[in-house]
Amino acid sequence: MMTDADLLAFHLALVATPSLSGEEGRAAELVVQTLAGYGVAAEIWDLHTVVARSGQGPRLLLNSHLDTVPPGAGWTREPWQPTVEGDQVFGLGSNDAKASVAALVGAFLEIHALGGPVEAVLLLTTQEETTSRGAEWAVPEVLAKFGVPDGGIVGEPTDHTIAVRQKGLMVLDLVAEGDAGHAAHAERLGMRNPIHTLAEDLLALQTLDRGPEDPWLGVSSYQPTVVQAGEARNAIPAEARAVVDVRSVPTMSHEEWLARIRSMVKSRVEVRSQRLEPYAVDENHAIVQAGLATNPQARVVGSATMSDLTWMRGFPAVKCGPGKTERSHQLDEFVLQSEIVAARAWYVRWAAAFAGQLAGGEKG
């Protein structure tokens, strides 16, 4: 098994290995080499995806991501030279999500050493911080090769909370068309000004019925974020556009959102992205209850931030890991070493309780 000291040394090595989105190869190799040192033959699939499997029992997917955002201007430390000050580890990705990667790898190795009580499938994906294409591709591949998991844990910094809901994201363009021409003649010629149409549509959408409220996340939100129209001060443009950001909750699908928006506007509605659907799992399911039963500090929440939880489709999963989401992407990002050690131990207890609940018929 991996000792606490080895676990923390592995975390430091991960932080010291740059792994910006799309450049995760060295981090993937580090994980595979580390696992090999404990007798685990892991594989690197396409997109620098790390996959390993061990143990017997109910199938439990352990997932997190290897990539980080780029370091922002203003760091007072070297982002890829982790520094330890007391219990704190400073470095890019130390909190999001290399703390989760380390804790999950440590838990996986303990399950491997014990031979159970679950069949643990370790899946470390990539590009989560940009396109989320890594998990979008890898999760179906894992399900096809190993079968559908009985449950899953997605490692992200959640500070002892278990996220059972996650908002989705849909990005739309409202495109209003008009009659291009000189502004001086617009009224006399009855020219259609697309800016007026777009403004009316944006105001109309303020009264949009956002559907039923989710008990954890509230109602879906709609916000225009970018508006573009015209270039010359004395010309009516042929087109006006607005980007609309929709943060959806599980009570209404993206298709329902689209239908409601289209029924209220005159502009053409173009879909930029609707792949990131909201996610929900029953809080009474064994994967949730096992987590609550093995950590007195744990509580159930809904998550407004995106993660690869959105791709855990067709099986119950939660988002939970060491660190705090507020530290993510911040200058001089840090995590507590005690959080990593505690998370590894919790994941192991969680897996055992999950197996026990399923054996007792408490699947949910």
Side-chain angles (χ1 to χ4, degrees), residues 40-357:
V40 175
E43 299 178 346
I44 298 179
W45 291 2
D46 289 350
L47 303 179
H48 309 304
T49 305
V50 176
V51 182
R53 181 172 64 152
S54 188
Q56 293 184 336
R59 187 171 298 117
L60 179 63
L61 181 68
L62 303 176
N63 166 252
S64 191
H65 63 92
L66 293 170
D67 61 313
T68 72
V69 297
W75 273 71
T76 64
R77 298 170 171 83
E78 288 297 322
W80 292 294
Q81 293 181 12
T83 55
V84 180
E85 297 180 8
D87 196 24
Q88 296 177 307
V89 178
F90 293 88
L92 184 65
S94 58
N95 180 74
D96 183 12
K98 292 181 177 181
S100 290
V101 171
L104 287 169
V105 167
F108 176 88
L109 287 173
E110 189 156 342
I111 292 166
H112 169 72
L114 296 172
V118 296
E119 176 192 325
V121 178
L122 180 68
L123 174 63
L124 302 178
T125 49
T126 60
Q127 301 180 33
E128 191 271 350
E129 297 289 7
T130 52
T131 64
S132 195
R133 294 291 183 188
E136 182 182 20
W137 172 82
V139 172
E141 294 291 321
V142 165
L143 269 58
K145 183 168 184 177
F146 301 132
V148 178
D150 295 292
I153 301 173
V154 176
E156 290 280 359
T158 65
D159 190 29
H160 297 290
T161 63
I162 302 172
V164 297
R165 298 283 199 283
Q166 178 176 277
K167 284 190 175 182
L169 170 65
M170 183 167 60
V171 183
L172 309 174
D173 279 307
L174 299 186
V175 185
E177 296 178 345
D179 303 312
H182 201 295
H185 307 306
E187 292 188 12
R188 178 173 59 84
L189 297 178
M191 294 166 59
R192 297 172 302 151
N193 189 326
I195 297 175
H196 292 161
T197 303
L198 184 63
E200 291 168 0
D201 286 344
L202 292 175
L203 288 173
L205 288 177
Q206 288 186 328
T207 64
L208 177 69
D209 179 359
R210 301 179 186 181
E213 182 174 349
D214 182 89
W216 301 102
L217 296 171
V219 295
S220 298
S221 64
Y222 140 85
Q223 289 293 333
T225 55
V226 179
V227 176
Q228 296 173 319
E231 296 180 0
R233 63 149 189 89
N234 59 348
I236 302 297
E239 182 180 276
R241 306 177 70 99
V243 179
V244 174
D245 179 295
V246 176
R247 302 290 169 150
S248 54
V249 301
T251 57
M252 195 163 76
S253 71
H254 285 174
E255 287 300 325
E256 290 175 300
W257 257 100
L258 272 173
R260 291 191 182 191
I261 290 174
R262 283 177 169 143
S263 71
M264 294 187 67
V265 301
K266 298 175 184 176
S267 298
R268 185 173 71 254
V269 180
E270 297 178 351
V271 179
R272 286 198 186 192
S273 174
Q274 60 176 332
R275 25 190 293 274
L276 302 177
E277 292 277 356
Y279 186 89
V281 63
D282 185 348
E283 53 267 33
N284 294 313
H285 193 280
I287 191 63
V288 181
Q289 293 302 311
L292 292 172
T294 50
N295 186 344
Q297 294 179 278
R299 57 188 177 87
V300 172
V301 298
S303 175
T305 58
M306 290 300 305
S307 76
D308 284 338
L309 183 62
T310 188
W311 303 115
M312 308 298 147
R313 299 173 185 175
F315 62 96
V318 297
K319 178 166 64 176
C320 183
K324 295 185 177 184
T325 187
E326 295 84 1
R327 302 178 193 148
S328 301
H329 307 177
Q330 287 194 349
L331 302 179
D332 295 336
E333 178 184 354
F334 73 92
V335 72
L336 304 185
Q337 291 188 318
S338 57
E339 292 173 333
I340 301 171
V341 171
R344 188 262 295 265
W346 183 19
Y347 286 147
V348 173
R349 297 193 305 270
W350 194 335
F354 178 61
Q357 290 197 18

